[in-house]
């Protein structure tokens, strides 16, 4: 889920930027420091949207930079357990599919795609059902539910988000459309 949050931080403005516009320097320093960062408490910081207040600058002994206390607004992505999300399959592998759900990717394990047994077709790079004639491949749009979240602040690439599509109204968009059509339309 995306949220707009009011946050505070202390920002370092390098000495070579002194004399230039303070607001612009602080906003650029905030973006460089925080955008793309993942925090267990607040989620993934997607964008710094507005600077609300810049405190008085402080200089530390031995460092020519100026440090500012800043209050600002940011857009963050917080993956929440049981949240239904929509995303795009960005990669299929033998153990499942990775789905882009905004600022992060989630893993849709092969056992969580459908009730039917799914196997990996390495030649075509897709997951194929044994009996239902369904396939899931890169670029497919899906609706899934978040079932597990493990955020790793130190190594954001190690963060894990588990997904499932084995529930009513979840799955590949084409499968959901087929299920909504009256049975007479399916036969034609």
């Amino acid at each position: 889920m995306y949220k707009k949050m009011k946050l505070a931080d202390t920002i370092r403005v390098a000495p070579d930027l002194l004399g230039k516009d303070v607001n612009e320097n602080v906003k650029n320093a905030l973006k460089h420091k925080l955008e793309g960062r993942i925090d267990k408490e607040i989620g993934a910081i997607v964008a710094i949207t507005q600077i609300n207040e810049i405190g008085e600058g402080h200089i530390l002994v031995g460092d020519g930079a100026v440090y500012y206390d800043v209050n600002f607004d940011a857009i963050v992505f917080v993956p929440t357990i049981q949240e239904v999300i929509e995303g795009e399959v960005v990669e299929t592998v033998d153990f499942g599919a990775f789905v882009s759900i905004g600022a992060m990717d989630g893993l849709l394990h092969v056992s969580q795609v459908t009730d039917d047994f799914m196997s990996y077709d390495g030649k075509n790079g897709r997951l194929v059902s044994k009996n239902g004639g369904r396939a899931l491949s890169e670029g497919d749009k899906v609706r899934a539910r978040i079932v597990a979240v493990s955020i790793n602040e130190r190594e954001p690439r190690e963060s894990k988000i588990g997904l499932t599509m084995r529930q009513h109204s979840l799955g590949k968009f084409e499968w959901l459309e087929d299920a909504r059509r009256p049975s007479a339309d399916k036969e034609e």
Side-chain angles (χ1 to χ4, degrees), residues 90-145:
V90 291
E91 182 181 7
T92 55
V93 290
D94 59 342
F95 55 86
F98 290 96
V99 179
S100 174
I101 56 172
M104 303 172 148
D105 290 347
L107 172 63
L108 181 59
H109 190 269
V110 68
S111 66
Q112 296 298 310
V113 177
T114 66
D115 290 333
D116 195 8
F117 179 79
M118 299 291 282
S119 60
Y120 181 65
D121 175 6
K123 187 174 182 180
N124 296 311
R126 62 186 188 159
L127 296 171
V128 181
S129 67
K130 183 176 182 180
N131 299 321
R134 295 180 170 181
L136 188 67
S137 54
E138 190 175 315
D140 288 343
K141 306 277 193 239
V142 298
R143 182 177 299 136
R145 182 180 306 278

Side-chain angles (χ1 to χ4, degrees), residues 23 54 64 71 78 89 92 102 104 110 113 158 167 179 182 188:
N23 290 332
I54 299 175
N71 293 320
V78 184
V89 176
T92 55
M104 303 172 148
V110 68
V113 177
E158 299 291 320
Q167 295 171 353
E188 292 176 4

Side-chain angles (χ1 to χ4, degrees), residues 84-86 142-145 164-173 175-177 179-180:
V84 174
I85 52 89
E86 293 180 354
V142 298
R143 182 177 299 136
R145 182 180 306 278
T164 186
M165 293 192 323
R166 289 183 67 174
Q167 295 171 353
H168 183 69
S169 297
L170 302 179
K172 183 175 166 181
F173 285 176
W175 303 343
L176 298 174
E177 283 299 316
R180 289 175 54 195

Side-chain angles (χ1 to χ4, degrees), residues 3-77:
K3 295 181 179 181
K4 180 179 179 182
M5 297 184 106
K6 292 189 179 297
L7 301 172
D9 201 354
T10 301
I11 294 299
R12 179 183 188 272
V13 176
D16 59 320
L17 298 174
L18 298 178
K20 297 179 182 171
D21 182 38
V22 173
N23 290 332
E24 195 64 33
N25 287 339
V26 168
K27 189 167 186 176
N28 288 337
L30 269 173
K31 286 182 175 190
H32 185 268
K33 179 181 178 183
L34 298 178
E35 284 184 357
R37 181 175 159 211
I38 296 176
D39 183 277
K40 275 188 177 182
E41 300 298 318
I42 62 174
I45 299 174
V46 178
I48 307 300
T49 58
Q50 181 177 339
I51 305 293
N52 298 323
E53 181 183 348
I54 299 175
E56 192 172 315
H58 302 282
I59 299 174
L60 301 179
V61 177
D63 186 359
V66 180
Y67 292 81
Y68 294 97
D69 291 327
V70 183
N71 293 320
F72 58 96
D73 293 339
I75 302 295
V76 298
F77 176 74

